[in-house]
Amino acid sequence: MAVPTPQGLPDGGHGVVAALPAGLAERLRAQLEPVADEVEEEVRRQVPEYSRPADGIYRRNLRAGVVQALTLFVDHIGDPRGQGDAIAGTYYELGCGEALEGRSLDALQSALRIGGLHAWRLLCRTAEDLGLDSAVVAALGELAFRTVHEVAEAAAAGYAEAQLRSTDELERRRRRLLDLLVSEGPVSPEAVQDLAHGARWPVPRQVAVIALAATPDQREEERPPAAGVLWDMESRPPRALVPDPDGSGRFGGRALTLALRGRPAAVGPTVALTEAAQSLHWATRALGLMGRGVLPRQGMVRCADHLSTLLLYSDEPLLAQLQARVLAPLEAVSAGQRARLAETLLAWLLSGSNVPDVATRLHIHPQTVRYRLRQLEKLFGDALHDSGTRLDLVLALRAEALRDPDGLAR
């Protein structure tokens, strides 16, 4: 533990102490307990973060801190060379404790400032009762300033160190929580609550999991800034869990897009918290389809906007069997003719067999549409008018169009 060494006054405190009468330290030491009582009460009254019920370990810690600071002040009077290392260590630990309790450094500094000022007023009253002149009181003021500076410096150092440790530990806990939520198998709500409490993560009702495209440069694998989101940038693919993504809160569509900074990503469906693994499954599947060009390669793709595509590609060997069976008649024509006929057939099926609509959709003449439809009638026969076959054709042709957008119209 690296505790900052108090710097003291420029002359080591000799000039200040020389102005103080002998035996003053012991006289003030006799007043420490009643002064500590009043200082403790004043801090609790003026700093809301410290206004807890006055019992248990919390009160003992607050009381010990007040007594230690007052003791350091009196020790400076008795020994100007004393560095107060032990007391500085106490305040270092106090700073650590405040950070781990989740209180701000501002609250701690306010407590030190208010406590120091109140202690100074009380000790001035004692000095007046002892008949000390103004020079002595001024010297005491210098020592009081030195004392407050030393304990504040030690506490701030402890606070900073604990924050660093706390941040690392918080990240580890949140990583464990994310691993639990996206793991296969049943997720215990009790286990989630326990880990979420330790990770300081408010438990949402619904979540969505994002799968992010990996970057070629590992140095770029930092997590984007977004409060409340659980990140794991070391997994492959990198992933993030977004709380209540469909709510009106802080992480709507635009905020999510900005946080991802243009990085290709797939957002899984919104699900109940205990079903986060399913959201990750579909986000990962969508990210793979983005890489193949079936879904848009760039930007942020929401699974909710491409459910039919994800359904089509959820079992690709079965999809290939469907395509081979229902599109077999197209194998009888050339590759170029096949692409034109497949494009026309899909547009005709999707437009309710309306020739003018097909012509408009494909930007061709209606006569060209009728010519191609006569060819398709020869190839498929009565199957074109069978409702079951028509559905199979739509699925097979749509999957082909998604895989080769330049060959078939979407």
Side-chain angles (χ1 to χ4, degrees):
M1 179 181 70
V3 181
T5 302
Q7 300 301 311
L9 299 173
D11 64 352
H14 290 292
V16 173
V17 175
L20 302 178
L24 178 60
E26 293 309 313
R27 295 182 188 179
L28 293 177
R29 199 182 304 278
Q31 302 294 317
L32 283 185
E33 287 302 321
V35 170
D37 289 339
E38 291 197 39
V39 170
E40 177 188 352
E41 185 61 32
E42 187 69 11
V43 169
R44 290 170 56 80
R45 188 179 68 82
Q46 290 202 42
V47 185
E49 290 86 347
Y50 289 83
S51 57
R52 292 184 179 181
D55 55 15
I57 189 170
Y58 177 76
R59 177 173 181 175
R60 290 196 297 273
N61 289 341
L62 177 59
R63 174 71 176 193
V66 171
V67 171
Q68 291 275 20
L70 293 172
T71 301
L72 178 60
F73 171 70
V74 174
D75 285 348
H76 280 324
I77 297 174
D79 180 10
R81 293 185 178 276
Q83 296 298 306
D85 289 341
I87 294 174
T90 297
Y91 267 81
Y92 182 93
E93 293 300 331
L94 177 61
C96 288
E98 295 301 281
L100 295 175
E101 284 287 329
R103 283 188 287 271
S104 69
L105 183 58
D106 288 342
L108 177 57
Q109 289 175 334
S110 293
L112 292 173
R113 188 167 55 250
I114 290 169
L117 179 60
H118 195 66
W120 165 237
R121 288 171 178 163
L122 294 174
L123 291 173
C124 278
R125 189 186 310 159
T126 300
E128 291 174 1
D129 292 341
L130 293 173
L132 302 179
D133 61 28
S134 59
V136 174
V137 174
L140 287 173
E142 290 188 63
L143 284 177
F145 175 80
R146 171 183 174 180
T147 301
V148 171
H149 172 75
E150 289 178 12
V151 297
E153 186 181 54
Y159 189 94
E161 177 66 22
Q163 270 200 320
L164 181 61
R165 295 202 309 262
S166 177
T167 298
D168 292 343
E169 177 61 23
L170 205 59
E171 288 303 316
R172 284 192 290 271
R173 291 179 182 180
R174 292 190 171 188
R175 178 80 62 81
R176 286 176 55 204
L177 176 59
L178 177 57
D179 289 343
L180 172 66
L181 290 172
V182 299
S183 61
E184 297 295 336
V187 177
S188 164
E190 292 77 14
V192 171
Q193 288 286 351
D194 288 345
L195 275 178
H197 177 75
R200 299 180 189 171
W201 190 71
V203 177
R205 291 181 60 254
Q206 295 182 311
V207 297
V209 181
I210 306 173
L212 296 90
T215 61
D217 189 345
Q218 289 291 332
R219 292 172 299 179
E220 296 180 9
E221 289 289 287
E222 77 277 2
R223 45 169 225 179
V229 177
L230 301 178
W231 299 94
D232 184 357
M233 302 304 288
E234 296 179 6
S235 65
R236 288 294 176 266
R239 59 199 184 192
L241 185 143
V242 182
D244 292 323
D246 298 332
S248 58
R250 61 191 175 280
F251 221 69
R254 179 168 174 77
L256 182 54
T257 302
L258 291 174
L260 295 176
R261 303 168 185 164
R263 183 174 185 164
V267 184
T270 298
V271 296
L273 179 65
T274 54
E275 298 173 3
Q278 282 295 314
S279 186
L280 174 61
H281 169 78
W282 289 112
T284 304
R285 178 65 61 86
L287 189 67
L289 294 177
M290 290 172 67
R292 293 162 53 188
V294 175
L295 292 176
R297 293 181 182 272
Q298 300 300 320
M300 183 180 67
V301 169
R302 292 184 178 274
C303 288
D305 298 333
H306 302 275
L307 294 179
S308 60
T309 301
L310 289 168
L311 179 61
L312 273 176
Y313 280 86
S314 61
D315 190 334
E316 294 195 52
L318 187 61
L319 176 59
Q321 290 286 334
L322 173 67
Q323 290 178 304
R325 183 178 67 81
V326 300
L327 299 182
L330 292 176
E331 298 303 318
V333 299
S334 66
Q337 191 177 12
R338 182 191 188 285
R340 290 190 294 273
L341 290 177
E343 175 185 66
T344 303
L345 178 56
L346 179 59
W348 182 70
L349 291 168
L350 294 177
S351 64
S353 307
N354 187 297
V355 171
D357 285 351
V358 175
T360 300
R361 187 185 189 114
L362 300 182
H363 306 290
I364 58 178
H365 196 278
Q367 279 298 99
T368 303
V369 175
R370 294 188 182 95
Y371 171 74
R372 293 180 184 177
L373 287 174
R374 285 194 294 272
Q375 291 180 293
L376 289 166
E377 289 277 1
K378 291 179 183 179
L379 292 171
F380 287 90
D382 292 339
L384 287 182
H385 304 287
D386 176 76
S387 58
T389 301
R390 288 166 71 102
L391 176 60
D392 288 348
L393 283 168
V394 169
L395 295 175
L397 291 167
R398 178 61 178 163
E400 191 167 296
L402 288 166
R403 187 170 56 245
D404 183 16
D406 295 328
L408 287 177
R410 289 185 181 240

